[in-house]
Amino acid sequence: MGSGRRRTLRLSLMSESETVISKAVAPQTPGQAGVGADRPDLRLVVPGLAVWASMWALTGWRWSVWIVAGVAVCCLGVGLVLRRVGAASASTRSVVARLMIVVGLLTASCVVVGGMTVASVGSGPLAQAGQDKAVVEFDLQIRTARLSSSWGQVLVNGVVEQFTVRGQTYRAGASVMVRVPQRDATQWLQFPAGTTVRLTGKATQARLSDGVTAWVSALSPASVIRPPPAWQRIIESMRTGLVRAMNANPAEQAALVPALVVGETSGMPPQLTSDFTTTGLTHLTAVSGANLAILLSFLTVVARYVGVRGWGISAVSVIGVAVFIMLCHSEPSVLRAAAMGLVALMALGRGTGHGGAIRGLCLAVMGLCWLDPWMSRSWGFILSALACLGIIWWGRRWSELLGRWLPAPVAEAMAIPLAAQVSTQPVICWLSGAVSVSGLLANAGAAPWVGPATVVGLIAALVSPVSATVASWAGYIAGWCAQPILLVGHGLAGLPGSSHWWPATVWGMLIVTAACLAVARAMPLLLSSPLIVVVVSLGLVVAMMAAPYHPGWPGSHWRVAACDVGQADGVAVRVDGGEAIVIDVGLDTGEMVQCLRQLGVTHIPVLVLTHLHADHAGGLAGVMQSFTVGQVVTPRGGGSHGEVDQICAERGIRVDVATTGQSVTVGDVRLSVVSAFQASSGGDDAEESSGENDESLIVRVDSPQMSLIDTGDVEVAGQQAALRHADELRADILKVPHHGSSRQVAQFLQATGARFAVISVGADNDYGHPTKKALTLLSEVGMEVIRTDEHGSITFARDQEWTLTTQR
């Protein structure tokens, strides 16, 4: 009897949970009680958040499976208790009971799906090889390859088909991430997706949150053992055909169109990337749901114009998504963008309408988290979901308002990015520490051209295997359709106030969120009249003509400035008036240009690159374009000189390779090279990167008021070598080596005798910089530590007393 009762209860529970979910996803008739076609359906919001949070926990900590399982049991228990008493109580209790049961079941499903996936990634012979740091020979099918922004290496994600370790061969199917050193970067970037290669590498243990079984450092060049399958070769021929079809266009057009169509950003010039970052247009060159929504919206408008109706419109959208997934490679981020793009299209009236779009978003979040649990930890996933939510909540209404005085396709194309920008701005501020004042204006100005450029570029890609001539004509048209996007990006990024620093704190995010909600509230009034839109747009442009104001900063008598460029380096030493010697230029994200403008710099007589990693030399093109530069000084080693030489040659700027003891005097400031150490070549990529760090130039700058030692990323060997010139190391200010990493030599720090230790470091960086060891050593030698992640940009002045001025 007891057994039969338990079976009946279990069947009843399953039936009820299925009923709840089916009610949530079933279409509603206009007269039906409950959720109407234009009323947001919020019934799956809590279940969707529960699935996301469960997968986020399961992919972060192995012990979290017990916590998530406990939550599932508690939710089911509470739901069953409330269900027993629900019949005789208010209907609210019954609704809560059903919700708790559904959440419990979904959370339990995450334990099963996520737990099995996590267990498969973290176990087996390959995972053990990573723990043992063993040398492995393996066959790898390449999924993606991209340049690393931190080290100038290539990061390759792929699936191991088989591998050999300690003389024993295993069949696999595990995902790994391969670090490829700079010397082999060109070879790997030329391999099309789907290529199977054989190489030898050193395996290291991966973190659970990495989503791969192991990391592998390539020790040998790769040899191709099998080309991609036929269908992938066709796709790759379309991608490369699109690039070739753009050869007749100007360089920036030729780089932007492939980025718009298939997310191919390898050809994007650094300055264009920097300007798009400043103006909030980077989503156009990424595989994003908002971008796909613009594309699908344009396709459906064209389809309706030529007479397609009914199911034909849906077929056009499905075909568009299928082609998008194939051309952009069907990896999880592409599937995410496809799902979010379709949901956003629903909200704009191409599917079940506004009422069902929230439900569709929640289902998309749950499905994507089940498909790839590690997606729950991706900022791209969060931004995509928020952008989709903004389009759902505001997109149709804003499109209708703009449609009163603009053509419908233009109105819709402008409404989508506006809604996405407002909804994602708080998270963007959290990640970047800045507010893009130009973001709304830039997206509104660029959006009408995204659809035509993308569709015509897509045509060029599709026809390129058949007719190179037709593809070239289509590519030429697509390039000029994209030209207004370039004009908007460069024009607004060039304004001094285009981007403002903003604190990435809880209170800072709350203020930004409140401001975004206020903007969204006022947007219907703003968009209803073309006159108001023009006046507000002109007001924004005028406001951006003034650089961001920080009371008291930089100070009128500053001599040395450490710019806040995130997890990177950038220092300026004032010579006279608008002249400054610059040491390192940060990443290619525009922070260094903005900092130098705020300092009043107009001319750089000498620009020193301590070494050529992207976090020290990545911003070179942007600085060159924004300021006049006399000469560039580089180390002999420390990375590839090709790009630096090309950038300087294009502008006729002399490049000098530094040697120990070399010096130059500009005005009353003397710059000298204390050490130009040459490290011996290392074996794997970690040793190579460490060797390149040790080859950083150590430079000394002397002015009448103060002296500075800048050390780049020099590590143990480089610091020990510099001790041979200990008499040249003493200075007032030390730029701490390698962002305050643990690889510090106490004798070197003590030899500088510096009063101030400046650490240029990004907030909440993934490297744990500055380390506790470094901070302890600096304290022990009596230095006052000042960090850019805590104080922003910092200036030093000295008359009778020292004056330090910070942005924050």
Side-chain angles (χ1 to χ4, degrees):
M1 181 71 178
S3 174
R5 182 179 178 183
R6 284 195 300 272
R7 183 163 56 252
T8 303
L9 176 61
R10 184 165 60 250
L11 292 173
S12 174
L13 175 61
M14 292 176 63
S15 175
E16 184 160 13
S17 64
E18 290 171 0
T19 302
V20 172
I21 295 177
S22 65
K23 284 182 178 179
V25 299
Q28 304 288 327
T29 59
Q32 186 176 349
V35 181
D38 292 320
R39 181 178 174 185
D41 184 347
L42 305 179
R43 290 176 292 176
L44 286 183
V45 170
V46 174
L49 290 174
V51 170
W52 170 78
S54 299
M55 290 303 193
W56 180 84
L58 289 168
T59 53
W61 306 274
R62 296 192 185 279
W63 47 261
S64 64
V65 65
W66 301 107
I67 294 178
V68 177
V71 170
V73 170
C74 289
C75 288
L76 286 171
V78 171
L80 291 174
V81 170
L82 291 176
R83 180 178 176 275
R84 282 181 175 274
V85 299
S89 61
S91 59
T92 301
R93 184 176 297 177
S94 179
V95 170
V96 172
R98 290 198 296 270
L99 178 62
M100 296 298 288
I101 291 172
V102 171
V103 170
L105 288 172
L106 292 175
T107 306
S109 74
C110 291
V111 173
V112 175
V113 176
M116 291 176 62
T117 306
V118 167
S120 66
V121 166
S123 60
L126 186 56
Q128 186 61 49
Q131 295 173 18
D132 298 339
K133 297 184 178 179
V135 175
V136 182
E137 182 183 76
F138 57 98
D139 297 347
L140 179 79
Q141 186 179 62
I142 298 171
R143 285 177 175 168
T144 61
R146 61 180 176 83
L147 283 170
S148 167
S149 61
S150 297
W151 303 109
Q153 301 170 335
V154 173
L155 295 180
V156 179
N157 179 252
V159 177
V160 175
E161 296 183 349
Q162 69 176 27
F163 65 97
T164 302
V165 58
R166 301 184 184 94
Q168 192 165 357
T169 300
Y170 301 89
R171 299 290 298 178
S175 177
V176 297
M177 189 70 76
V178 181
R179 297 187 187 98
V180 179
Q182 280 187 337
R183 64 174 181 267
D184 299 326
T186 302
Q187 178 198 28
W188 281 83
L189 290 173
Q190 290 175 348
F191 290 142
T195 302
T196 302
V197 298
R198 179 168 295 159
L199 72 152
T200 300
K202 182 179 180 181
T204 54
Q205 186 175 10
R207 297 175 301 179
L208 178 61
S209 57
D210 292 335
V212 295
T213 300
W215 283 81
V216 177
S217 300
L219 301 179
S220 68
S223 58
V224 176
I225 61 175
R226 189 169 60 251
W231 67 270
Q232 277 192 304
R233 291 200 296 272
I234 294 173
I235 296 300
E236 288 303 318
S237 70
M238 292 179 181
R239 291 172 63 95
T240 56
L242 172 60
V243 174
R244 286 195 299 268
M246 302 301 301
N247 287 341
N249 292 77
E252 287 194 336
Q253 292 181 11
L256 180 56
V257 171
L260 289 173
V261 178
V262 296
E264 176 55 64
T265 59
S266 60
M268 290 279 287
Q271 185 59 42
L272 181 58
T273 301
S274 173
D275 288 351
F276 273 31
T277 301
T278 301
T279 54
L281 294 176
T282 51
H283 66 90
L284 297 180
T285 61
V287 182
S288 68
N291 203 20
L292 178 61
I294 295 173
L295 170 63
L296 295 180
S297 176
F298 182 81
L299 283 175
T300 54
V301 167
V302 172
R304 289 180 187 277
Y305 180 79
V306 298
V308 179
R309 295 291 185 272
W311 285 102
I313 297 294
S314 299
V316 168
S317 296
V318 170
I319 293 172
V321 171
V323 173
F324 170 82
I325 292 174
M326 287 191 300
L327 284 178
C328 296
H329 299 145
S330 53
E331 57 188 81
S333 63
V334 177
L335 298 179
R336 175 199 75 207
M340 297 302 175
L342 286 173
V343 172
L345 205 66
M346 290 166 54
L348 294 168
R350 301 291 192 271
T352 61
H354 187 188
I358 293 289
R359 183 174 66 238
L361 174 60
C362 295
L363 289 172
V365 168
M366 288 189 285
L368 290 169
C369 286
W370 278 321
L371 177 69
D372 180 7
W374 280 271
M375 199 176 290
S376 62
R377 305 188 71 85
S378 164
W379 284 110
F381 175 72
I382 294 171
L383 287 169
S384 193
L386 286 174
C388 191
L389 179 62
I391 295 169
I392 291 170
W393 208 261
W394 299 307
R396 179 189 283 185
R397 174 60 177 156
W398 295 358
S399 176
E400 291 172 348
L401 290 170
L402 287 169
R404 294 176 182 175
W405 52 278
L406 284 174
V410 176
E412 202 164 87
M414 292 178 66
I416 291 173
L418 283 175
Q421 180 77 16
V422 172
S423 60
T424 57
Q425 188 61 61
V427 175
I428 293 173
C429 287
W430 179 269
L431 295 175
S432 66
V435 175
S436 177
V437 180
S438 58
L440 287 176
L441 205 57
N443 277 280
W449 306 98
V450 174
T454 305
V455 171
V456 180
L458 186 62
I459 293 171
L462 293 174
V463 303
S464 62
V466 179
S467 173
T469 303
V470 176
S472 296
W473 278 105
Y476 187 78
I477 296 170
W480 286 103
C481 287
Q483 183 61 31
I485 303 175
L486 295 170
L487 295 175
V488 169
H490 287 317
L492 293 179
L495 298 176
S498 183
S499 179
H500 288 248
W501 169 83
W502 192 260
T505 62
V506 173
W507 284 108
M509 294 309 99
L510 289 175
I511 293 172
V512 171
T513 301
C516 288
L517 292 174
V519 169
R521 182 79 173 177
M523 196 65 78
L525 174 63
L526 299 177
L527 300 181
S528 60
S529 166
L531 178 61
I532 297 177
V533 170
V534 171
V535 170
V536 171
S537 299
L538 290 175
L540 278 174
V541 171
V542 170
M544 286 186 286
M545 288 181 177
Y549 175 65
H550 301 278
W553 193 88
S556 57
H557 302 292
W558 71 272
R559 258 305 193 180
V560 173
C563 291
D564 180 14
V565 288
Q567 185 67 16
D569 271 11
V571 172
V573 180
R574 191 176 190 177
V575 178
D576 186 27
E579 284 191 329
I581 293 173
V582 171
I583 306 171
D584 289 331
V585 290
L587 293 160
D588 61 351
T589 48
E591 286 102 334
M592 192 63 183
V593 170
Q594 184 177 2
C595 177
L596 292 175
R597 283 173 175 164
Q598 292 170 356
L599 292 169
V601 175
T602 56
H603 175 61
I604 303 171
V606 181
L607 191 156
V608 180
L609 300 176
T610 59
H611 65 304
L612 305 185
H613 285 170
D615 55 335
H616 292 253
L620 181 63
V623 170
M624 292 280 195
Q625 184 166 322
S626 303
F627 308 95
T628 58
V629 178
Q631 70 178 95
V632 174
V633 178
T634 69
R636 186 173 301 278
S640 172
H641 286 72
E643 187 174 351
V644 171
D645 291 341
Q646 180 181 351
I647 291 172
C648 294
E650 289 173 352
R651 293 165 175 80
I653 297 171
R654 187 174 87 249
V655 179
D656 291 334
V657 177
T659 57
T660 300
Q662 179 181 352
S663 66
V664 61
T665 300
V666 183
D668 59 357
V669 177
R670 182 173 184 268
L671 169 75
S672 56
V673 179
V674 175
S675 177
F677 175 68
Q678 288 290 293
S680 59
S681 59
D684 61 23
D685 68 301
E687 293 171 350
E688 181 177 1
S689 293
S690 183
E692 291 176 355
N693 287 338
D694 274 322
E695 291 178 343
S696 295
L697 297 178
I698 298 179
V699 296
R700 175 188 182 91
V701 185
D702 291 285
S703 72
Q705 293 83 13
M706 64 189 72
S707 56
L708 162 77
I709 287 286
D710 194 307
T711 58
D713 279 353
V714 70
E715 297 184 358
V716 174
Q719 292 176 38
Q720 290 173 339
L723 286 172
R724 302 169 193 162
H725 315 282
D727 55 332
E728 293 291 323
L729 290 175
R730 296 196 68 81
D732 299 311
I733 305 167
L734 168 68
K735 203 291 296 178
V736 177
H738 201 185
H739 318 290
S741 77
S742 61
R743 298 179 179 181
Q744 310 290 335
V745 176
Q747 295 92 329
F748 174 83
L749 299 178
Q750 193 166 17
T752 67
R755 176 172 180 175
F756 302 104
V758 177
I759 302 179
S760 184
V761 65
D764 301 320
N765 62 84
D766 294 334
Y767 307 97
H769 296 163
T771 61
K772 184 178 180 180
K773 176 184 176 181
L775 294 174
T776 301
L777 285 174
L778 294 169
S779 176
E780 288 175 351
V781 297
M783 296 186 195
E784 181 180 343
V785 177
I786 306 141
R787 298 164 47 173
T788 58
D789 62 331
E790 294 180 345
H791 302 290
S793 297
I794 306 153
T795 58
F796 295 83
R798 187 180 187 183
D799 189 4
Q800 299 298 325
E801 302 264 337
W802 282 95
T803 303
L804 274 67
T805 307
T806 64
Q807 276 187 325
R808 307 176 197 169

